[in-house]
Amino acid sequence: MVNAIGDSLNVLRQNQTVSSSHTAPVAPVQQGPQPTRALPKHRLASYGRWASSTKEQHQVSASQVALQALQQASSLLSHIRQQLYRVIRSGSGEMSQQALFQAEQERQRLSQIRPHYRGQLLLDHHFNLLSQTPAAPHAFILRSVDLTVPKQRDERILVQLGQRSLHVTLAAGLDRQQLNKVLANALAPLGLNVELINGECLFKAPSSVWQQVQEGLLMMGEGQRLPAGELRNIHLEERFSLQDPREWGLKADSNLKQTLAKVTKTQQKIDAQIQGILATHAALLSQMQTSMATIPPQAELQLLVKFMQPQPFVYQLTSLMAQGNANRDQVTALLG
């Protein structure tokens, strides 16, 4: 009797242990990162061809925009040359004043030609194609400040451009060439180049740095070349190249023959770039015509003609029936 009760209790405890083990919460299985499937080679090749063709299409579109801008510039230059010829031949007078006025209006329109494609500038201020040559730097001088003038005492100056700043020590007893070398080495980290031309300290900056320079170039010295106390915004004066329309003098008292030579040289440069773009377009067109002539499209079109019908599903189902060796009645019975 006692043994029977003990056996029953043992069985009960075993049942409770088993039931509790079945009702215990199961810890979730942590799944690792799913392995990425590699793209098939044919799809990668297709993407590569698509990217290449898209890039070439953008290049052609950009060259077309640049070509249109260059042709507009060449047309304006031709009109300016005609007006200058008229003034030089006729001399002073009302006709000459009117011709100079028209030439000045066209010069201003010429200076405003800045073609862009997808946010990228295509021509710089010297009418250089940026796809072939880097942009010409902007040249300027510091108005009322001469950093290369020799002094008898050292001067430590502070230069700040945007968020960057640096100190330059201009030693005493150095001549202009030596001071120019010191400035060139010190300002190179800011993207500024310094040259001494005809005794004048000329600064040059690329387009990206020129935007910051226009916002403000701050300097502070020790009272010799620059005022001391606090940073001050230094006024700049931009210097233009002979190829820049802003440099041309179109006034009656200016040397119009010299201006005419600058206009003629600039137009020759622009016309040469136009011919280069047209030659490139002609080569691309010839290459495209050659590639199209070597690909016979008729066979491919004949293979695809059945899929261009209004109900291509019929042809697909017929193909499946042929592959499965089934007739129409068997397929109807399966679908029904």
Side-chain angles (χ1 to χ4, degrees):
M1 186 70 174
V2 174
N3 292 334
I5 295 174
D7 294 339
S8 300
L9 291 175
N10 291 332
V11 173
L12 181 60
R13 292 192 186 97
Q14 291 177 2
N15 292 336
Q16 290 178 350
T17 304
V18 172
S19 62
S20 62
S21 63
H22 282 288
T23 58
V26 180
V29 180
Q30 295 183 356
Q31 297 181 355
Q34 297 293 332
T36 58
R37 297 178 58 184
L39 292 176
K41 293 183 178 180
H42 68 277
R43 183 172 296 181
L44 290 175
S46 177
Y47 290 162
R49 290 193 298 268
W50 176 80
S52 177
S53 61
T54 303
K55 181 179 179 181
E56 293 176 356
Q57 181 181 0
H58 285 310
Q59 291 177 349
V60 172
S61 300
S63 65
Q64 290 175 343
V65 175
L67 176 62
Q68 183 179 3
L70 289 173
Q71 290 174 341
Q72 180 185 1
S74 180
S75 177
L76 290 173
L77 288 170
S78 297
H79 294 162
I80 294 176
R81 290 179 59 193
Q82 293 175 3
Q83 302 298 338
L84 292 179
Y85 274 126
R86 183 180 306 175
V87 175
I88 293 174
R89 292 175 181 177
S90 62
S92 60
E94 184 177 355
M95 295 293 294
S96 299
Q97 293 296 329
Q98 184 178 1
L100 286 177
F101 177 77
Q102 293 180 359
E104 176 63 22
Q105 296 295 321
E106 292 169 344
R107 184 191 68 84
Q108 294 180 6
R109 290 198 295 268
L110 185 65
S111 301
Q112 296 173 357
I113 295 179
R114 291 292 183 270
H116 288 75
Y117 181 76
R118 303 183 70 191
Q120 297 293 328
L121 185 65
L122 302 179
L123 297 175
D124 65 1
H125 53 292
H126 291 175
F127 298 103
N128 295 318
L129 277 172
L130 298 183
S131 60
Q132 300 178 359
T133 58
H138 295 263
F140 63 94
I141 63 172
L142 306 181
R143 190 184 303 174
S144 304
V145 174
D146 190 356
L147 297 179
T148 59
V149 59
K151 294 293 182 179
Q152 297 301 320
R153 291 188 296 109
D154 294 349
E155 184 176 18
R156 182 178 173 86
I157 66 174
L158 173 62
V159 182
Q160 180 174 337
L161 180 61
Q163 301 296 327
R164 297 176 296 174
S165 62
L166 52 82
H167 288 87
V168 184
T169 300
L170 303 178
L174 300 181
D175 58 15
R176 284 186 174 272
Q177 291 289 349
Q178 294 171 333
L179 290 172
N180 178 82
K181 186 176 181 180
V182 171
L183 284 173
N185 295 332
L187 299 181
L190 297 180
L192 297 176
N193 186 24
V194 186
E195 298 179 5
L196 192 63
I197 300 178
N198 298 327
E200 186 178 54
C201 187
L202 185 67
F203 294 80
K204 292 184 178 180
S207 299
S208 57
V209 180
W210 175 243
Q211 299 295 330
Q212 297 181 353
V213 171
Q214 288 181 306
E215 294 175 0
L217 181 61
L218 304 178
M219 290 187 179
M220 180 182 65
E222 296 177 348
Q224 298 188 77
R225 302 173 183 85
L226 289 167
E230 60 182 8
L231 286 170
R232 298 190 181 185
N233 190 9
I234 304 300
H235 296 286
L236 313 175
E237 181 179 340
E238 189 174 2
R239 293 299 175 87
F240 307 116
S241 170
L242 300 180
Q243 305 175 46
D244 197 324
R246 295 173 295 177
E247 195 271 342
W248 302 341
L250 296 178
K251 297 182 180 179
D253 56 350
S254 59
N255 192 344
L256 295 181
K257 291 184 178 180
Q258 185 178 3
T259 302
L260 179 60
K262 299 175 185 177
V263 173
T264 303
K265 186 176 181 179
T266 304
Q267 186 175 15
Q268 292 174 354
K269 171 185 175 180
I270 290 178
D271 291 342
Q273 294 183 124
I274 291 176
Q275 295 302 322
I277 295 178
L278 292 177
T280 303
H281 288 180
L284 290 175
L285 180 60
S286 177
Q287 181 180 359
M288 183 182 301
Q289 291 175 348
T290 302
S291 61
M292 292 180 63
T294 57
I295 299 177
Q298 297 299 327
E300 287 79 2
L301 291 178
Q302 290 177 0
L303 291 175
L304 296 176
V305 65
K306 63 180 182 179
F307 297 105
M308 303 298 293
Q309 301 298 325
Q311 295 179 347
F313 179 74
V314 175
Y315 299 99
Q316 296 178 8
L317 186 59
T318 303
S319 177
L320 290 175
M321 291 168 57
Q323 294 177 13
N325 195 19
N327 55 29
R328 183 180 298 273
D329 295 336
Q330 293 173 338
V331 174
T332 303
L334 290 174
L335 294 178

